[in-house]
C-alpha cells in the first residue's frame, strides 16, 4: 500500500508541481505588488509568461546551453520526484547539487561576462547553502533513525519539535535558494541588478522557459522539505504542514520586499554562522541528550 | 601462491636494476611496457589463485614452503644492511646540504633498529608475510595504477627532457626509482612483521625524497628535504613502536599486536598512527606533499594516487579496530576531519592545476583517515571504497594535467579556458576524473554518503565530524565545479589544437578512464562480495552493507541518467533550429564576442577569470592556526595515551 502512495505522490509531483509552482509565483507577484502599493499582475500571469516564452524562436549563444539547461531541468524534476517518493534524503540532495552544477555550467558555456559573473556568484550561493542542506538530512536521520523521507510518517511527533535549530537554519538558506533579497546575488526577479540578469543573462525563449519551469519545480520541492518538518503519523499534521508552508512562503516574500541585497561575503559568513550555530548546535544537543538518556 | 607473492615483491626491484643499467630509449620502452605488464599479470594471477584456493588469509613462512623459517633471520640481516646503506646515503646528502638534524634523525632510528636486531629482541620468523583481502586489494591498485603510471612516464619524460633542456637527463635513474617504489609498496602491504613493514616504509620515504629532488633545482632540493624530515619523523615513531612491541609484547607481528585488547597497546598504536599521519600528509605534515609537486608529473601521480600516501591510510585502516573508542582514534578523527575541511577550502584559492589536485589529495586522505579513526565496520567500509576510487581518479587527473601541460604549455586552470574545444580528448579525461571525484552517481560521492551515515551511527564525538564533512563537501564541490567551468567555457572562434600526447600516455589515460567507469558500475557487487568479508578479516564482527537495495538501484539508474540526459539533450538540440545570437556585452561587443570597445573606442580583449576567494580561504590565513590546533591535539592525545599506558 505504501508503495502505491509513494508512486502516486511521485506522479503527482511531476504532473502538478508546475501548476503549484506557477500559482505560488503568481501569488508572490501579487503580494509583492500589494506590499509596494501596486495592484500587480493577474494571478495567472506567470503561466501566460511561460507560454509566451515557449512560443518564441530559439536563440542561443552556444549549442551547449540547450544541453545544460535540459539536464538542469531533468535533474531538478528527478530531485523532487525522489523526494516525494520518500527516498534517501542524502541521495535527493546529491542529485540537487548535480542539477545546480548543470545550471552554473549552462551559464558559463556561453562565455558571457554577465552570465559568468552571475555563475561565480551562484557558486558562492551554493557554497553558502550546501552545508545546511546536508545538515538538514542529518537532522532527520538523528530523529527518525533513517535518511528516508517516507519514515517521517511513522513518527509520533513532528520533527520540528526536536529540530527547531535545523529548521531555523534551513529557513535562512531557503532565502538563498528561492533567490530572494537579501540573497538574490546571482540573479534577481527584478530587472535592476548591476549584473543585468546575472546567471540567466544569456537565456531567452525556450531556454528561459525551461529555467523558469525548473525553478517552479525546485520551489515546490523546497516547500516540501519545509513540510517534512511538520508531518508525522497523525492526520492533522498534514494540515499543520500546509499551514507552515504557506506561512514560510509569505515570510520569504515579506523578507524579499523589506531587505536590500547584501555583499556575497556577508551572505557566506552569515549562512555559515547560522548553519554552524543553529544547525550544528541542534545536532550536538540531540546527540548529548541521546548519550545521557 | 607463495611463489607469486615473493615474485610480486622482487620483480619490481629486478626491473629497477635493469632500468638503471639501460641507456637506450628503445629498450627502455620495451622494458617498461613488458615490466609493467608483468607486474600487473603477477598481481592478477595472485588474485585469481587466491580466489580459486578458497580465499583464505595466508601467513608465511609455513611448512614445506619456499620461504623457510631458517632463511627469515638472514633476510632480516639483509634488510638491516640495506637500512644502514640508506642511512649512509641520507647522512651523506644531509651533511652535503648542511641539514644536520635530518642526519641525526636518520641515525637515531637506524641505530635503534640495529640494537633491536643485533641484541636478538626482534628475532621472529613466524608470519613475516601476511596476505588477506586488504593487502590483495592494495596489490591490485598498486599494480594496475602504478604500472600504468610507469608506462605513462615513458612518453611524458621524453617530452619533459625535450622541453627542459636545463635539467640533466637522468631517466634511467628516474625509472629505476619508480619501480623500486612499486616494489617497496608491494612489500609494505604484504608484510605481516612490523620490522618488514618498517623496512619498506623507509624505502618509500627515501625514494620519494630522491624523486622530489630529481631536477636538482634549489626549490626541488628544499622540498625534498622537507619531505625527508617529515617522513623520517614518522619513521622514528614507527621504530619506537617496534621497540615498544619488542620489549613489552615480545613480538613484532602486526597481527599479534592487533589481537591484544585495545586498552593495553595504546602507546604502540599511537606511535604507528602518528607515523601513518605523516605518511598520508595530514595537517600539520601536509607541506611535504605540496612540495612534491616540483617533481616530474609521473612521480607526483604515483605519490598522490596509488602509493606513498596510501601506505599511511593502509596502516590506519589496519589499525582501525584497535583505534575505535580509544584516545588515538579521537586524535586520528580530529586530525583527519580538520584536514578534510581545511584542505578543501585552501584548494578553492589555487589556480595551479597540480596544486589544486595536491590539496584535494590531502583533503580526501583526511576523510579516509577520519573513517579509520572512528573505527567501526561501516566507517572502514567507507574508507576502503574512498581509497579505491581516489586512487584511480586522482591518478587519471594528475596524468591528464601533465599531458595538458605539454599540450598547451601551462597547467594553470585559467589557461585551460575552452579546453573542451581545443583538446577534446584531454578535456574529456579531465571531466571524467573530476566527475569521479565529486559528482552524484560516482564512487567518491557514494563513499562520502556512506561515511556520513557511518559517522552518525558511530555517534558521540563523530557528530562533530559530520558537521565538518557537511562544510567540506560544499567547499569540495566549489573547487571542482570551477575547474569544469573553465574546461567547458568555449569562447567564440576557438579552434581545435594539435595534440602532442604520446601513445604511451594515451594508453594509460584510456585505461584509467575505462577503469573509472567499470568501478562505478561494478562497485555494488564488489562491495558485497569483497569488502564485506574484508571487514571480517580486519576484526569487525558486525560487517554489513549500509546502502539498501532500492538506493543502490536508484544510484545505478542515476549513473545511466547522468550520461544519458546530456547526450539525449545534445541529440535533441541538433534537431531544434537554434538561431545564433550575439553575446550581450552592454552594446560594446566588437562583433567577434571576444573583444569589446573601451572608452577610447579601441577594441579590448575580454578576459573572464574564476573567483578564488583568497582573502577568505587563503593558505596564509588558514594553514598556521589549523596546523597548531592539530599539533595541540596530537600532543594532548600523546600525553593521555602515555599517561594511560602505565
Amino acid at each position: 500500500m505504501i508503495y502505491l502512495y509513494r508512486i502516486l505522490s511521485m506522479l503527482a509531483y511531476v504532473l502538478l508541481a508546475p501548476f503549484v509552482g506557477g500559482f505560488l509565483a503568481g501569488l508572490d507577484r501579487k503580494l509583492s505588488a500589494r506590499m509596494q502599493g501596486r495592484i500587480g499582475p493577474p494571478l495567472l500571469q506567470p503561466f501566460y509568461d511561460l507560454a509566451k516564452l515557449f512560443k518564441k524562436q530559439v536563440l542561443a549563444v552556444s549549442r551547449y546551453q540547450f544541453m545544460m539547461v535540459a539536464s538542469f531541468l531533468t535533474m531538478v524534476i528527478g530531485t523532487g520526484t525522489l523526494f516525494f517518493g520518500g527516498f534517501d534524503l542524502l541521495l535527493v540532495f546529491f542529485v540537487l547539487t548535480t542539477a545546480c552544477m548543470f545550471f552554473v555550467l549552462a551559464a558559463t558555456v556561453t562565455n558571457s561576462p554577465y552570465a559568468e559573473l552571475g555563475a561565480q556568484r551562484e557558486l558562492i550561493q551554493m557554497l553558502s547553502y550546501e552545508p545546511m542542506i546536508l545538515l538538514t538530512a542529518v537532522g532527520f536521520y538523528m530523529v527518525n533513525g533513517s535518511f528516508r523521507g517516507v519514515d517521517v510518517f511513522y513518527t509520533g511527533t513532528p520533527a520540528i519539535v526536536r529540530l527547531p535549530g535545523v529548521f531555523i537554519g534551513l529557513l535562512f538558506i531557503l532565502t538563498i535558494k528561492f533567490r530572494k533579497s537579501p540573497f538574490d546575488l546571482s540573479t534577481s526577479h527584478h530587472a535592476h541588478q548591476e549584473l543585468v540578469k546575472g546567471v540567466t543573462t544569456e537565456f531567452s525563449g525556450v531556454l528561459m522557459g525551461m529555467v523558469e519551469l525548473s525553478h517552479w519545480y525546485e520551489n515546490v520541492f523546497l516547500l516540501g522539505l519545509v513540510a517534512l518538518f511538520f508531518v508525522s503519523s497523525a492526520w492533522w499534521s498534514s494540515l499543520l504542514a500546509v499551514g507552515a508552508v504557506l506561512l514560510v512562503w509569505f515570510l520569504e516574500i515579506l523578507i524579499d520586499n523589506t531587505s536590500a541585497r547584501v555583499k556575497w561575503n556577508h551572505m557566506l559568513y552569515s549562512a555559515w554562522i547560522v548553519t554552524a550555530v543553529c544547525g550544528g548546535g541542534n545536532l550536538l544537543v540531540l546527540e548529548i541528550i541521546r548519550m545521557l538518556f | 601462491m607463495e611463489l607469486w607473492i615473493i615474485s610480486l615483491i622482487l620483480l619490481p626491484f629486478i626491473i629497477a636494476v635493469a632500468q638503471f643499467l639501460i641507456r637506450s630509449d628503445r629498450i627502455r620502452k620495451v622494458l617498461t611496457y613488458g615490466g609493467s605488464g608483468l607486474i600487473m599479470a603477477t598481481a592478477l594471477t595472485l588474485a585469481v589463485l587466491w580466489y580459486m584456493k578458497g580465499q583464505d588469509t595466508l601467513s608465511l613462512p609455513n611448512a614445506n614452503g619456499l620461504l623457510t623459517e631458517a632463511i627469515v633471520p638472514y633476510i632480516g640481516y639483509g634488510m638491516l644492511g640495506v637500512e644502514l646503506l640508506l642511512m649512509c646515503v641520507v647522512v651523506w646528502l644531509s651533511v652535503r646540504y648542511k641539514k644536520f638534524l635530518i642526519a641525526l634523525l636518520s641515525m637515531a632510528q637506524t641505530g635503534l633498529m640495529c640494537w633491536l636486531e643485533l641484541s636478538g629482541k626482534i628475532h621472529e620468523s613466524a608470519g613475516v608475510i601476511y596476505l588477506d583481502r586488504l593487502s590483495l586489494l592494495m596489490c591490485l591498485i598498486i599494480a594496475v595504477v602504478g604500472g600504468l603510471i610507469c608506462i605513462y612516464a615513458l612518453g611524458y619524460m621524453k617530452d619533459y627532457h625535450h622541453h627542459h633542456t636545463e635539467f640533466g637527463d637522468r631517466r634511467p635513474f628516474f625509472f629505476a626509482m619508480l619501480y623500486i617504489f612499486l616494489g617497496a609498496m608491494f612489500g609494505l602491504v604484504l608484510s605481516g612483521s612490523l620490522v618488514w613493514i618498517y623496512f619498506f616504509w623507509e624505502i618509500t620515504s627515501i625514494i620519494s625524497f630522491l624523486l622530489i629532488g630529481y631536477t636538482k633545482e634549489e626549490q626541488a632540493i628544499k622540498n625534498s628535504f622537507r619531505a625527508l624530515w617529515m617522513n623520517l619523523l614518522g619513521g622514528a615513531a614507527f621504530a619506537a613502536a617496534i621497540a615498544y612491541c619488542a620489549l613489552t609484547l615480545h613480538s613484532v607481528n602486526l597481527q599479534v599486536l592487533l589481537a591484544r585488547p585495545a586498552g593495553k597497546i595504546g602507546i604502540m598504536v599511537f606511535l604507528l598512527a602518528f607515523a601513518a599521519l605523516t605518511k598520508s600528509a595530514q595537517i600539520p605534515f601536509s607541506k611535504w606533499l605540496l612540495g612534491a609537486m616540483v617533481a616530474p608529473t609521473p612521480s607526483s601521480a604515483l605519490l598522490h594516487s596509488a602509493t606513498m600516501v596510501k601506505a599511511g591510510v593502509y596502516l590506519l585502516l589496519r589499525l582501525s579496530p584497535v583505534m575505535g573508542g580509544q584516545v588515538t582514534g579521537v586524535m586520528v578523527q580530529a586530525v583527519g576531519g580538520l584536514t578534510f575541511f581545511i584542505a578543501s577550502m585552501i584548494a578553492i584559492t589555487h589556480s595551479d592545476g597540480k596544486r589544486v589536485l595536491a590539496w584535494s589529495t590531502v583533503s580526501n586522505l583526511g576523510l579516509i583517515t577520519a573513517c579509520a579513526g572512528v573505527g567501526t565496520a561501516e566507517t572502514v567500509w567507507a574508507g576502503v571504497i574512498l581509497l579505491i576510487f581516489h586512487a584511480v581518479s586522482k591518478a587519471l587527473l594528475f596524468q591528464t594535467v601533465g599531458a595538458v601541460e605539454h599540450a598547451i604549455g601551462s597547467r594553470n586552470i585559467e589557461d585551460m579556458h575552452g579546453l573542451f574545444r581545443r583538446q577534446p580528448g584531454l578535456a574529456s579525461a579531465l571531466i571524467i576524473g573530476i566527475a569521479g571525484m565529486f559528482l552524484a552517481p560516482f564512487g567518491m560521492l557514494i563513499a562520502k554518503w556512506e561515511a556520513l551515515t557511518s559517522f552518525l551511527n558511530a555517534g558521540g564525538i563523530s557528530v562533530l565530524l559530520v558537521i565538518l564533512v557537511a562544510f567540506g563537501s560544499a567547499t569540495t564541490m566549489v573547487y571542482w565545479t570551477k575547474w569544469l567551468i573553465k574546461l567547458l567555457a568555449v569562447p567564440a572562434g576557438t579552434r581545435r589544437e594539435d595534440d602532442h600526447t604520446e601513445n604511451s600516455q594515451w594508453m594509460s589515460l584510456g585505461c584509467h578512464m575505462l577503469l573509472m567507469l567499470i568501478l562505478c558500475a561494478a562497485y555494488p557487487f564488489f562491495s558485497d562480495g569483497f569488502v564485506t568479508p574484508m571487514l571480517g578479516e580486519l576484526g569487525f564482527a558486525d560487517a554489513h552493507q549500509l546502502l539498501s537495495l532500492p538506493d543502490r538501484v536508484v544510484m545505478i539508474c542515476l549513473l545511466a541518467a547522468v550520461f544519458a540526459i546530456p547526450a539525449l539533450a545534445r541529440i535533441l538540440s541538433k534537431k531544434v533550429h537554434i538561431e545564433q545570437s550575439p553575446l550581450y556585452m552592454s552594446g560594446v561587443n566588437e562583433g567577434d564576442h571576444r573583444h569589446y570597445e573601451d572608452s577610447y573606442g579601441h577594441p579590448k580583449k575580454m578576459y573572464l577569470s574564476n573567483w578564488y576567494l583568497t582573502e577568505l580561504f587563503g593558505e596564509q590565513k588558514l594553514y598556521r592556526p589549523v596546523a597548531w590546533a592539530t599539533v595541540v591535539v596530537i600532543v594532548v592525545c600523546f600525553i593521555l595515551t602515555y599517561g594511560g599506558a602505565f
Side-chain angles (χ1 to χ4, degrees):
Chain A
M1 199 57 194
I2 186 78
Y3 283 104
L4 186 69
Y5 280 131
R6 285 171 75 177
I7 291 167
L8 280 178
S9 142
M10 283 156 87
L11 266 178
Y13 173 76
V14 175
L15 297 176
L16 299 181
F19 296 100
V20 179
F23 179 73
L24 284 172
L27 199 67
D28 180 355
R29 290 171 75 169
K30 197 90 194 160
L31 273 174
S32 290
R34 286 295 151 86
M35 285 178 191
Q36 295 161 9
R38 294 183 284 119
I39 292 178
L43 201 55
L44 297 180
Q45 188 61 39
F47 293 104
Y48 307 143
D49 291 347
L50 192 74
K52 194 174 176 187
L53 282 175
F54 274 102
K55 273 184 224 149
K56 283 189 171 183
Q57 182 187 16
V58 190
L59 279 172
V61 175
S62 156
R63 283 202 157 262
Y64 295 117
Q65 264 179 298
F66 187 89
M67 174 175 143
M68 297 297 174
V69 172
S71 305
F72 171 51
L73 175 64
T74 335
M75 291 267 174
V76 166
I77 297 177
T79 308
T81 313
L82 287 175
F83 175 76
F84 282 96
F87 281 94
D88 194 308
L89 282 177
L90 274 181
L91 181 69
V92 171
F93 293 147
F94 289 151
V95 183
L96 180 70
T97 307
T98 312
C100 294
M101 199 206 62
F102 274 112
F103 183 52
V104 168
L105 290 179
T108 56
V109 286
T110 59
N111 212 45
S112 146
Y114 294 103
E116 167 82 26
L117 265 177
Q120 298 285 342
R121 286 188 178 185
E122 176 74 17
L123 260 186
I124 307 279
Q125 289 189 185
M126 287 169 76
L127 182 62
S128 308
Y129 69 68
E130 275 278 319
M132 192 57 231
I133 292 259
L134 274 179
L135 288 189
T136 305
V138 168
F140 277 103
Y141 186 85
M142 290 178 81
V143 296
N144 291 341
S146 103
F147 277 117
R148 292 194 317 158
V150 65
D151 288 342
V152 292
F153 290 103
Y154 301 116
T155 50
T157 45
I160 181 77
V161 177
R162 279 180 286 173
L163 296 175
V166 172
F167 186 70
I168 292 169
L170 184 72
L171 275 188
F172 193 88
I173 61 111
L174 272 186
T175 315
I176 306 177
K177 278 265 34 149
F178 285 136
R179 302 174 191 288
K180 297 279 186 206
S181 196
F183 302 133
D184 52 349
L185 287 111
S186 73
T187 182
S188 147
H189 296 294
H190 319 293
H192 48 73
Q193 182 167 314
E194 73 279 24
L195 294 183
V196 192
K197 270 295 254 177
V199 73
T200 52
T201 302
E202 297 296 340
F203 297 129
S204 58
V206 176
L207 292 179
M208 192 60 208
M210 274 156 59
V211 171
E212 269 311 292
L213 195 60
S214 319
H215 286 156
W216 291 358
Y217 269 111
E218 199 181 8
N219 288 351
V220 173
F221 153 67
L222 291 168
L223 291 173
L225 198 59
V226 172
L228 206 62
F229 278 88
F230 296 93
V231 174
S232 68
S233 53
W235 63 268
W236 48 263
S237 69
S238 302
L239 297 178
L240 189 69
V242 173
V245 163
L246 290 176
L247 187 67
V248 165
W249 188 244
F250 178 76
L251 260 177
E252 290 295 345
I253 296 168
L254 189 66
I255 293 168
D256 188 31
N257 281 292
T258 51
S259 55
R261 185 177 307 140
V262 296
K263 284 183 175 173
W264 64 265
N265 33 7
H266 290 152
M267 172 183 65
L268 185 60
Y269 283 138
S270 55
W272 275 23
I273 289 171
V274 170
T275 303
V277 174
C278 296
N282 194 166
L283 299 183
L284 285 182
V285 168
L286 271 183
E287 182 61 21
I288 291 166
I289 290 172
R290 194 186 67 88
M291 279 158 69
L292 290 179
F293 303 105
Chain B
M1 249 168 98
E2 195 185 346
L3 176 72
W4 293 98
I5 293 177
I6 295 167
S7 48
L8 192 58
I9 300 175
L10 290 182
L11 190 66
F13 288 103
I14 298 167
I15 300 170
V17 173
Q19 288 279 12
F20 194 67
L21 297 173
I22 282 166
R23 307 277 138 172
S24 144
D25 280 1
R26 198 87 143 296
I27 307 176
R28 182 181 307 123
K29 195 169 174 183
V30 175
L31 190 67
T32 307
Y33 268 104
S36 290
L38 215 57
I39 290 172
M40 284 183 228
T42 314
L44 284 175
T45 317
L46 180 65
V48 171
L49 272 179
W50 166 86
Y51 184 78
M52 292 189 331
K53 290 197 172 164
Q55 305 154 24
D56 294 324
T57 57
L58 177 75
S59 179
L60 292 179
N62 51 15
N64 60 47
L66 275 172
L67 186 76
T68 58
E69 296 221 358
I71 305 176
V72 173
Y74 295 105
I75 299 177
Y77 288 127
M79 285 178 171
L80 193 66
V82 176
E83 267 166 46
L84 283 169
L85 199 72
L86 288 176
M87 184 194 81
C88 291
V89 172
V90 170
V91 169
W92 180 66
L93 284 172
S94 310
V95 171
R96 200 175 132 199
Y97 291 100
K98 302 197 171 57
K99 315 269 182 188
F100 299 108
L101 272 175
I102 296 179
L104 222 61
L105 198 60
S106 172
M107 285 197 287
Q109 54 188 293
T110 317
L112 181 62
M113 291 307 290
C114 262
W115 173 69
L116 286 171
E117 181 79 37
L118 296 176
S119 62
K121 290 198 163 48
I122 50 176
H123 274 187
E124 191 181 12
S125 302
V128 285
I129 283 186
Y130 183 77
L131 175 88
D132 63 357
R133 282 181 171 81
L134 183 58
S135 29
L136 193 67
L137 176 73
M138 291 300 291
C139 281
L140 286 172
I141 293 176
I142 297 160
V144 176
V145 178
L148 286 172
I149 290 173
C150 290
I151 292 176
Y152 168 89
L154 268 179
Y156 183 88
M157 291 311 283
K158 197 172 134 197
D159 246 25
Y160 185 81
H161 284 294
H162 186 72
H163 285 290
H164 296 274
T165 41
E166 72 272 28
F167 306 135
D169 185 350
R170 295 197 289 152
R171 269 184 278 171
F173 167 79
F174 186 78
F175 277 88
M177 289 300 131
L178 290 187
Y179 280 100
I180 294 182
F181 214 117
L182 293 188
M185 280 304 294
F186 286 127
L188 201 154
V189 298
L190 286 168
S191 296
S193 157
L194 282 173
V195 179
W196 282 39
I197 297 178
Y198 170 79
F199 169 71
F200 293 114
W201 187 275
E202 288 298 278
I203 294 185
T204 58
S205 297
I206 287 158
I207 301 295
S208 61
F209 158 67
L210 294 173
L211 279 174
I212 297 167
Y214 177 75
T215 59
K216 294 192 178 169
E217 274 180 304
E218 201 187 326
Q219 187 66 37
I221 288 168
K222 195 176 145 228
N223 291 353
S224 64
F225 274 105
R226 187 195 282 143
L228 188 64
W229 81 255
M230 285 187 175
N231 278 301
L232 283 181
L233 194 67
F238 205 125
I242 293 177
Y244 258 108
C245 287
L247 297 175
T248 56
L249 303 177
H250 306 293
S251 167
V252 287
N253 195 301
L254 184 58
Q255 297 305 319
V256 174
L257 174 72
L258 294 179
R260 296 295 168 96
K264 294 258 166 73
I265 51 171
I267 191 75
M268 286 80 120
V269 175
F270 176 89
L271 289 168
L272 288 176
F274 178 81
L277 290 181
T278 62
K279 191 125 262 185
S280 48
Q282 297 299 292
I283 296 175
F285 306 111
S286 57
K287 283 265 160 99
W288 77 259
L289 193 64
L290 273 301
M293 284 181 0
V294 296
T297 298
S299 59
S300 346
L302 202 61
L303 293 179
H304 280 262
S305 61
T307 63
M308 195 66 180
V309 293
K310 290 293 187 299
V313 288
Y314 161 79
L315 187 64
L316 285 174
L317 288 174
R318 277 236 181 275
L319 293 174
S320 58
V322 289
M323 285 198 298
Q326 302 294 314
V327 178
T328 307
V330 173
M331 168 187 84
V332 172
Q333 274 179 59
V335 171
L338 278 173
T339 304
F340 172 64
F341 180 39
I342 300 299
S344 65
M345 286 208 275
I346 295 177
I348 295 180
T349 63
H350 286 291
S351 63
D352 179 330
K354 259 176 122 179
R355 212 167 256 281
V356 172
L357 290 183
W359 277 112
S360 121
T361 304
V362 173
S363 163
N364 282 300
L365 288 170
L367 193 55
I368 306 178
T369 302
C371 284
V374 178
T376 65
E378 292 165 349
T379 56
V380 175
W381 191 96
V384 171
I385 298 288
L386 274 170
L387 186 148
I388 302 169
F389 280 105
H390 180 257
V392 178
S393 45
K394 199 40 81 55
L396 173 63
L397 282 170
F398 258 107
Q399 294 177 68
T400 318
V401 168
V404 169
E405 191 180 357
H406 281 177
I408 67 171
S410 162
R411 62 182 191 216
N412 195 308
I413 294 172
E414 290 294 323
D415 295 327
M416 294 183 197
H417 205 110
L419 199 73
F420 195 59
R421 181 71 56 81
R422 291 155 65 195
Q423 301 277 357
L426 292 175
S428 306
L430 276 179
I431 290 170
I432 289 185
I434 291 173
M437 293 299 291
F438 89 109
L439 268 191
F442 289 93
M444 288 297 278
L445 199 100
I446 302 173
K448 221 173 263 173
W449 180 9
E450 292 281 349
L452 256 181
T453 317
S454 56
F455 290 158
L456 282 170
N457 286 347
I461 193 163
S462 306
V463 174
L464 281 173
L465 216 49
V466 169
I467 297 170
L468 283 178
V469 172
F471 280 96
S473 296
T475 42
T476 305
M477 182 268 312
V478 170
Y479 67 81
W480 291 126
T481 310
K482 273 193 337 182
W483 199 333
L484 280 181
I485 286 177
K486 276 287 148 188
L487 295 176
L488 291 169
V490 181
T494 308
R495 299 205 182 286
R496 194 170 170 159
E497 292 166 6
D498 289 336
D499 184 3
H500 305 293
T501 314
E502 302 264 340
N503 286 340
S504 58
Q505 287 173 292
W506 269 121
M507 155 110 193
S508 174
L509 294 181
C511 288
H512 275 99
M513 282 192 265
L514 203 66
L515 207 61
M516 187 75 227
L517 298 179
I518 293 174
L519 275 177
C520 287
Y523 120 91
F525 314 100
F526 169 76
S527 82
D528 270 353
F530 193 81
V531 181
T532 309
M534 178 196 291
L535 298 175
E537 283 174 355
L538 286 176
F540 294 106
D542 52 343
H544 66 278
Q545 169 79 26
L546 268 182
L547 290 188
S548 65
L549 188 66
D551 283 337
R552 276 191 277 168
V553 172
V554 171
M555 213 69 204
I556 290 173
C557 295
L558 209 62
L559 180 67
V562 159
F563 288 104
I565 293 170
L568 259 171
R570 183 93 187 91
I571 295 165
L572 206 71
S573 73
K574 279 184 180 160
K575 289 258 166 69
V576 181
H577 176 72
I578 298 177
E579 194 89 359
Q580 177 82 31
S581 70
L583 208 55
Y584 179 74
M585 287 162 87
S586 304
V588 288
N589 190 338
E590 283 282 312
D592 62 352
H593 313 310
R594 304 187 84 160
H595 295 81
Y596 62 92
E597 195 181 293
D598 69 6
S599 42
Y600 295 106
H602 302 307
K604 207 164 202 171
K605 197 167 170 31
M606 171 182 70
Y607 177 70
L608 298 174
S609 158
N610 270 337
W611 287 17
Y612 289 97
L613 315 184
T614 319
E615 67 278 21
L616 225 60
F617 300 143
E619 203 173 327
Q620 277 76 20
K621 200 171 172 186
L622 291 179
Y623 191 81
R624 206 170 266 268
V626 177
W628 279 110
T630 46
V631 168
V632 169
V633 168
I634 291 172
V635 169
V636 168
C637 288
F638 176 71
I639 293 168
L640 285 176
T641 319
Y642 195 77
F646 294 98

